[in-house]
Amino acid sequence: MGITYNEQNRTFMLRAADSLYAIAIVDEGYLCHAYYGKNVADEDLTYLLRLDENPFVPSKNNRDRACFLDATYLEYPSFGIGDYRECAFRIIDENGFSATDLRYDSHRIFSGKPKLEGLPATFADENQAQTLEITLKDKRTSLYVTLRYSTFENLPVIARSVSVENKGCVNIHLNSIMSACVDFDEDDYDMITLYGSWARERTASRVPLHHGKQLVDSARGESSHQYNPFFVLCSKNADEETGDAYGFSLVYSGNFKALCEVSQHNSTRAMLGINPLDFEWLLEPNARFDAPEAILVYSDCGLGKMSRTYHDLYREHLIRSKYKYSPRPILINNWEATYFNFDDKKLLDIAKQSAELGIEMLVMDDGWFGHRDSDNSSLGDWFVYESKIKCGLKNLVDEVNALGMKFGIWFEPEMVSPDSELFREHPDWAIQVPDMDMTLCREQYVLDFSRKDVRDCIYGRLKDILKSANIEYVKWDMNRQLTEVGSAMLKANCQRELWHRYVLGVYDMMERLVTDFPDLLLENCSGGGARFDPGMLYYSPQIWCSDDTDAIERLRIQYGTSLCYPPSAMGAHVSVCPNHTSGRWAPFKTRGIVAMAGTFGYELDITKLSDEDKQCVKEQIADYKKYNKLMICGDQYRLGNVNSDRSFDAWIFVSKDKSQAILSVVQIDSRISTHSRRIKISGLDENAFYKNNEDGSVLSGKALKYCGINIKGLYGDFAAKTIYFTKCDN
Ligand code: GLA
């Protein structure tokens, strides 16, 4: 296990759980990628590079170096010297030249994992991880590029990041610095990406690779509703249990590019990093730039194992909140209950009824500040709207606390409304290009968070509010994407840095928040789930999944999200029917079962619920208390696929010791048939016996997996049920 270097064949072997990643330094110092996949014994794998097959190996025959570079599997290809596939690294120097030639310079292997300054990243202590740093050098410019690879104890994960340092004496403009690049020997893969739009986030799409480039990206200033900074390359036969799956996930919340390119030689280059589109960074002498971290996961047992590896890694080594493994308070949010139309009295009515039913926290959403009665004003004026919260914020929170409930609040710190005191005082604080109309979106502009003065002012206002009362939860929203990207403070040759500087500014704000308020439960949100990415998970243990709270739509959204992100991070609430987004009706029970595969809570006017639904709330809360630990700490096995089978969905959460499990089944189309539905249950101990606590029957884990159980037809579309299994003696 771990990372080794073999002097003889100049090969690095990175062993992570049962996976192996091999890198070789070849003649003339090119750094080549030899292998990524299932672990094998310590053998010389350099034959995989086919160096002896190529007639034009530079050290032997230099007459066609470009031909060599265009076919070789390079670990970090730079632009301009003959590799015409997508490059990972591109600059423009002071004289306008863009070619660089990166060759091996040095390396070091050490225990633990260094931090990335100002960026979110996975963490591990000295006993949990090992790191390899390989430094490459471009002789002409004296640029030193350091590739960093960390392996984790017991997880088939490689965390990669890249830094570049200018040790020359002239300025360099960085145009592309991807975080990871892997050359695969074959093209026989499917590519899975997550696409969507507002209220339809992270729908999984699976297509075969073809010659040329296929990619998803964002140039919107955030990771986006439209695509997620994540993709999978998998063998054609890969399903939940079998086949190879390689996951690529970027720990970043801004513009990204995720690409696969099938080459003329039928090899595949996979790449992930900051989107080079409109990116530029001035690197002065002695300056350094750190690119965000990319997380690579290899699974030899299909998509299920890949996802569970991401879930474990992100829970254990990315999320820092004290809430990561502890039950979150069951919350009720007033957004879908009232929208902007509320006051302190209405909130207290909701709180009183909620407390009676066992709900544990009231979250006051948008509309409590400035003079905000609709989405057309007041962002930036983070002062209590006194004619709405007439009793004052402190009194409101105290009254909610007196009911035995916690209190949470909504902010949208990155934004400013044209109709706000803040904008009237500081119009230059909004991101804009001089002499150009500023594009409105949801009637708001984006604040220039690259500026410390702007961040200091907004943070001060947030902090004052949070200190003014016992506020234990914050929902941090971000409801528009960036346009006319320009800053009043950046010089002309640094304007293109704003995209990345903006994201660093957001990270700085969130870091301050979680440092000053370590017990705060922070939930991220962006017009629903437009910033559901690992960068955000570093600051908040949960992210609002989507403004679409329809339980049936949520099956698809939560399925796609679960490919990379742990269910414990998925903000999910029970709302009313007909659903406000889709108009669909689904049983109250089903809405609870689907929301319980996420953080669970309510988003409805509880004062208007029928007695029957109120009784159901009580039952759901009892279930949550009983099973939530299993969901936030256990392993999830997906047993259905709503993308391919629109008739049902199913999943099971199994405790790590496999002693108990909770199965959920949702019927999408009712079956008018005497036949029950057979569901095969993975994840249990095949050699143990389990009691089905619904009917008392006992079956072995093996029978449950290979034979399955019969789920009798549930009455009506969208009906759902759960079954609790416990390990028992036969
Ligand atoms: C976004 C969020 C919603 C709600 C509104 C408030 O759309 O996703 O949950 O907070 O903003 O304006």
Side-chain angles (χ1 to χ4, degrees), residues 335 340 365-366 410 442 475 477 479 525 527-528 544 547 603:
W335 179 242
F340 293 100
D365 210 280
D366 192 357
W410 178 98
R442 209 192 191 212
K475 176 175 172 187
D477 209 341
N479 274 315
C525 173
W544 184 231
D547 278 345
E603 181 138 352

Side-chain angles (χ1 to χ4, degrees), residues 416-715:
V416 63
S417 306
D419 176 11
S420 66
E421 291 308 318
L422 186 76
F423 189 68
R424 281 186 279 275
E425 272 170 46
H426 301 288
D428 62 313
W429 281 15
I431 287 180
Q432 59 197 285
V433 171
D435 304 322
M436 226 181 145
D437 284 346
M438 293 162 73
T439 304
L440 276 169
C441 183
R442 209 192 191 212
E443 246 181 286
Q444 62 198 53
Y445 302 133
V446 184
L447 285 171
D448 182 356
F449 264 27
S450 73
R451 292 175 58 162
K452 186 164 179 305
D453 55 346
V454 177
R455 298 200 303 273
D456 285 350
C457 167
I458 299 298
Y459 186 71
R461 292 181 180 191
L462 259 56
K463 194 169 172 179
D464 286 348
I465 291 287
L466 294 179
K467 291 227 151 186
S468 72
N470 183 26
I471 298 172
E472 297 177 76
Y473 160 107
V474 163
K475 176 175 172 187
W476 178 306
D477 209 341
M478 195 281 195
N479 274 315
R480 66 156 288 179
Q481 299 167 338
L482 276 55
T483 54
E484 296 90 30
V485 173
S487 167
M489 293 302 276
L490 291 172
K491 285 188 270 164
N493 62 350
C494 293
Q495 279 294 350
R496 309 308 348 114
E497 297 179 8
L498 182 52
W499 293 107
H500 183 58
R501 287 188 183 278
Y502 175 79
V503 179
L504 295 180
V506 172
Y507 290 151
D508 168 63
M509 290 283 280
M510 291 194 187
E511 188 64 40
R512 293 193 211 187
L513 194 60
V514 297
T515 307
D516 287 347
F517 302 94
D519 293 332
L520 187 78
L521 173 55
L522 180 62
E523 172 155 355
N524 259 286
C525 173
S526 176
R531 218 157 47 180
F532 207 117
D533 60 60
M536 289 290 118
L537 287 182
Y538 187 64
Y539 306 95
S540 57
Q542 59 194 56
I543 306 173
W544 184 231
C545 231
S546 175
D547 278 345
D548 191 340
T549 52
D550 173 338
I552 304 308
E553 288 293 295
R554 274 300 186 106
L555 293 176
R556 190 177 33 72
I557 295 170
Q558 292 177 195
Y559 166 85
T561 307
S562 77
L563 284 174
C564 182
Y565 305 99
S568 60
M570 293 184 208
H573 298 164
V574 174
S575 61
V576 293
C577 282
N579 181 270
H580 289 190
T581 310
S582 67
R584 185 187 270 126
W585 192 93
F588 204 91
K589 182 175 173 190
T590 302
R591 288 176 254 159
I593 287 174
V594 175
M596 255 182 251
T599 57
F600 190 64
Y602 293 87
E603 181 138 352
L604 40 72
D605 190 345
I606 203 147
T607 63
K608 295 188 180 144
L609 281 193
S610 67
D611 288 346
E612 194 188 338
D613 285 351
K614 280 183 192 158
Q615 184 52 35
C616 204
V617 170
K618 282 189 182 160
E619 286 162 20
Q620 286 170 347
I621 289 174
D623 280 351
Y624 175 84
K625 301 264 170 196
K626 199 163 163 197
Y627 304 125
N628 180 251
K629 196 94 193 156
L630 247 177
M631 289 166 181
I632 59 175
C633 304
D635 289 324
Q636 187 194 34
Y637 289 79
R638 293 177 294 251
L639 309 176
N641 178 344
V642 280
N643 272 9
S644 55
D645 182 350
R646 294 292 299 162
S647 70
F648 85 106
D649 197 7
W651 59 90
I652 190 165
F653 288 95
V654 183
S655 61
K656 287 277 179 197
D657 66 0
K658 298 197 184 290
S659 65
Q660 46 172 332
I662 178 91
L663 167 74
S664 302
V665 182
V666 182
Q667 174 170 279
I668 300 173
D669 287 333
S670 72
R671 275 192 173 182
I672 314 296
S673 158
T674 49
H675 261 63
S676 51
R677 191 187 309 272
R678 180 78 44 82
I679 292 188
K680 295 179 178 169
I681 300 175
S682 307
L684 299 173
D685 178 353
E686 290 186 20
N687 299 315
F689 286 85
Y690 290 88
K691 179 175 167 196
N692 172 332
N693 286 284
E694 184 186 50
D695 62 13
S697 61
V698 172
L699 281 171
S700 67
K702 210 171 239 166
L704 288 163
K705 176 165 179 177
Y706 298 105
C707 313
I709 60 167
N710 298 331
I711 302 284
K712 297 222 175 64
L714 301 167
Y715 186 66

Side-chain angles (χ1 to χ4, degrees), residues 346-418:
K346 179 70 197 170
L347 292 176
L348 281 170
D349 286 349
I350 292 177
K352 277 176 199 144
Q353 181 62 84
S354 302
E356 273 171 32
L357 297 175
I359 295 172
E360 297 161 325
M361 179 161 74
L362 174 75
V363 175
M364 176 170 72
D365 210 280
D366 192 357
W368 59 266
F369 52 92
H371 60 98
R372 189 150 163 107
D373 289 314
S374 78
D375 58 13
N376 67 4
S377 84
S378 305
L379 293 168
D381 295 345
W382 301 110
F383 311 109
V384 177
Y385 189 177
E386 284 167 4
S387 52
K388 255 187 183 176
I389 311 299
K390 300 180 203 77
C391 65
L393 185 58
K394 167 114 178 58
N395 285 335
L396 174 65
V397 177
D398 286 349
E399 286 204 46
V400 171
N401 286 168
L403 294 167
M405 291 176 80
K406 296 177 190 289
F407 188 90
I409 200 166
W410 178 98
F411 284 107
E412 198 178 354
E414 297 155 72
M415 298 294 152
V416 63
S417 306

